[in-house]
Amino acid sequence: MSYLNQNKTPLFTALKEHHKNNVIPFDVPGHKHGRGLKEFTDYVGSTVMELDVNSMKCLDNICNPIGVIKEAEELAAYAYGSDKAFFLVNGTTSGVQAMIMSACQPGDKIILPRNAHKSAVSGLILSGAIPIYIQPEINSDLGIAMGVTVESVEETIGRHPDAKAVFLINPTYYGATSNIKDIVRVAHRNAMAVLVDEAHGAHMSFHEDFPMSAMEAGADMSAVSTHKTGGSLTQSSLLLLREGIIDPFIVKKNLSLMQTTSASYLLMASIDVARKQLAVEGPELLQKVLDLTRDARSRINKIEGLYAFGTELIGTQGVHSFDESKLGVNVRKIGLTGFEVYDILIDEYNIQVELADYYNILAIVSLGDHKEQLDALVEALVDIAEKYKRDEEIKVVNSFLKNPDVIVSPRDAFYSNKKAIKFEDAEGEISGESIMAYPPGIPIVSPGERISKDIIEHIMLLKEEESLLQGTEDPYAEYIRVLGLGSKR
């Protein structure tokens, strides 16, 4: 591909030109430039509503782009070092699902870490693929899962040489990355595609101090949440493809199943501008992100009882590299759970962090952050460590579950007849639903898996901490639907 001018924003430019023409709309959307939804328009602004338009010749169509969307996608592919890029308006979830559906047919095996996002489980249900789980490495001091090792991937491939694909996370929610380049080499040597959930790595290609991206490592596909760390609007993402193992036509066909035919031009235009900003100004902007997080991490580590972990983890099991924009803080030595600190921060300091677990909180630092915001977080943590500290630190227990027993494929379990039973009575049953704390949205149990005593105890612990649980038909997770097969052993 010849050089493409990254200063261009073909879709956003076309959208602005269309807006300038003040066309009289007799098409959808029905609010007609905001006039039909006055209260909302008065609050968000008329320009936003006037840019909320439908597909038309001058603005191209996401289902079969041949104009400005196609040109914008080509610029994105060039910026990220892929052969093709597809705009996503159903989030990275739709990209993960399309990746798995493009690599696997019903009954095919796919190797993936147990800490994969719920979108991967949805991809298994939609594709009919059979999961072969790899246990990620666990840092017992922090109580969180890291990446997977090359050795564990090799060993799993040796036991399942007929698998069609290897699925990776790059980086994990807390910033750890696996040795993705060597894993790609191992997978390709065994004729397996490599699919990468890069939801939290949209920025990593644009500054040398961040971990290697999936495309740089030679992966076949990656789904990238430009909205999480790249600056675009919520729900907008990219699906990247390296041609070879996976047919681009198959990807396009699967995306047409996953995505709306009425794609938001606000979302797509924001991807176009975010790509330009990363490609043109990324190194400078991301250096500021690094400066902010390095300073905040250093200051937090001077607070007695708190530990803001970072690049010192590189070289430990499951941590080949580390994304410093993920500001994880271990709080257990001040006698508080991460859930408690999460609540205190929002309730008393008006600070919203990304997530909490039993031992940690996680703050995401990105392009829109400034020193004032990081100062407020550090000062709040100083205050919390003084005001709320308890004498007895939180005891580290095994907060991450072992690989489950997959009894029935996720797809078969999803479509099977089910019955609802009290969750605490479900030991030995085969789950018909997923249960997860959200965020991060990593299933604790998925359809088709045996519900163990450990799983029940883990969920009950999360409920005690008032963690937000999702996935069950019962919104309070008091009941779970299990396969009505007399499955209990």
Side-chain angles (χ1 to χ4, degrees), residues 354-427:
E354 174 68 11
L355 62 82
D357 60 39
Y358 206 66
Y359 314 105
N360 311 284
I361 59 167
L362 175 67
I364 302 290
V365 185
S366 58
L367 305 174
D369 284 307
H370 298 286
K371 189 175 185 301
E372 292 76 17
Q373 284 85 44
L374 274 297
D375 286 346
L377 175 61
V378 174
E379 289 163 10
L381 291 174
V382 169
D383 209 28
I384 290 169
E386 290 177 355
K387 286 183 178 179
Y388 294 95
K389 183 176 181 179
R390 300 188 187 119
D391 292 334
E392 187 173 347
E393 69 181 58
I394 299 297
K395 300 297 183 186
V396 174
V397 296
N398 184 9
S399 64
F400 199 85
L401 300 166
K402 295 180 180 179
N403 284 349
D405 292 328
V406 180
I407 309 301
V408 179
S409 76
R411 183 183 222 175
D412 287 346
F414 183 82
Y415 287 109
S416 292
N417 292 328
K418 304 174 187 70
K419 60 182 180 181
I421 64 173
K422 290 282 287 184
F423 183 72
E424 58 261 38
D425 297 331
E427 183 179 352

Side-chain angles (χ1 to χ4, degrees), residues 163-412:
K164 296 295 184 181
V166 175
F167 183 93
L168 299 171
I169 304 165
N170 190 56
T172 66
Y173 238 114
Y174 281 103
T177 67
S178 306
N179 185 347
I180 186 170
K181 188 169 186 178
D182 283 359
I183 292 173
V184 167
R185 188 179 298 116
V186 169
H188 283 173
R189 194 165 61 229
N190 289 274
M192 298 178 188
V194 178
L195 317 176
V196 183
D197 178 349
E198 213 157 31
H200 288 270
H203 58 293
M204 296 196 311
S205 296
F206 302 97
H207 193 291
E208 61 183 10
D209 284 358
F210 286 100
M212 179 179 289
S213 73
M215 288 296 110
E216 289 174 297
D220 299 285
M221 295 188 76
S222 69
V224 178
S225 293
T226 50
H227 72 93
K228 283 186 167 69
T229 61
S232 66
L233 294 180
T234 294
Q235 202 173 309
S236 60
S237 295
L238 286 170
L239 182 59
L240 307 175
L241 170 70
R242 182 181 303 282
E243 294 188 46
I245 295 178
I246 297 176
D247 185 343
F249 175 75
I250 298 297
V251 177
K252 182 178 177 182
K253 183 173 69 173
N254 285 322
L255 277 177
S256 71
L257 295 174
M258 312 309 304
Q259 294 219 93
T260 176
T261 56
S262 303
S264 165
Y265 278 85
L266 288 168
L267 298 184
M268 291 190 291
S270 76
I271 301 172
D272 200 19
V273 178
R275 179 271 314 154
K276 172 191 172 182
Q277 179 175 257
L278 286 168
V280 175
E281 303 175 61
E284 178 185 353
L285 293 173
L286 290 167
Q287 185 59 53
K288 292 179 181 177
V289 170
L290 288 168
D291 291 343
L292 287 172
T293 52
R294 287 167 179 171
D295 176 65
R297 192 171 267 114
S298 174
R299 291 158 64 195
I300 292 168
N301 282 330
K302 293 175 183 175
I303 304 171
E304 186 177 355
L306 298 186
Y307 170 39
F309 47 92
T311 54
E312 73 282 353
L313 296 176
I314 294 174
T316 60
Q317 284 293 90
V319 187
H320 181 73
S321 189
F322 189 85
D323 176 2
E324 294 180 68
S325 70
K326 309 299 187 289
L327 185 56
V329 183
N330 187 275
V331 300
R332 66 181 180 86
K333 289 189 176 179
I334 61 171
L336 299 176
T337 68
F339 300 115
E340 289 175 307
V341 175
Y342 177 102
D343 288 339
I344 293 169
L345 281 169
I346 187 62
D347 292 343
E348 299 194 22
Y349 298 90
N350 206 32
I351 293 174
Q352 179 67 63
V353 293
E354 174 68 11
L355 62 82
D357 60 39
Y358 206 66
Y359 314 105
N360 311 284
I361 59 167
L362 175 67
I364 302 290
V365 185
S366 58
L367 305 174
D369 284 307
H370 298 286
K371 189 175 185 301
E372 292 76 17
Q373 284 85 44
L374 274 297
D375 286 346
L377 175 61
V378 174
E379 289 163 10
L381 291 174
V382 169
D383 209 28
I384 290 169
E386 290 177 355
K387 286 183 178 179
Y388 294 95
K389 183 176 181 179
R390 300 188 187 119
D391 292 334
E392 187 173 347
E393 69 181 58
I394 299 297
K395 300 297 183 186
V396 174
V397 296
N398 184 9
S399 64
F400 199 85
L401 300 166
K402 295 180 180 179
N403 284 349
D405 292 328
V406 180
I407 309 301
V408 179
S409 76
R411 183 183 222 175
D412 287 346

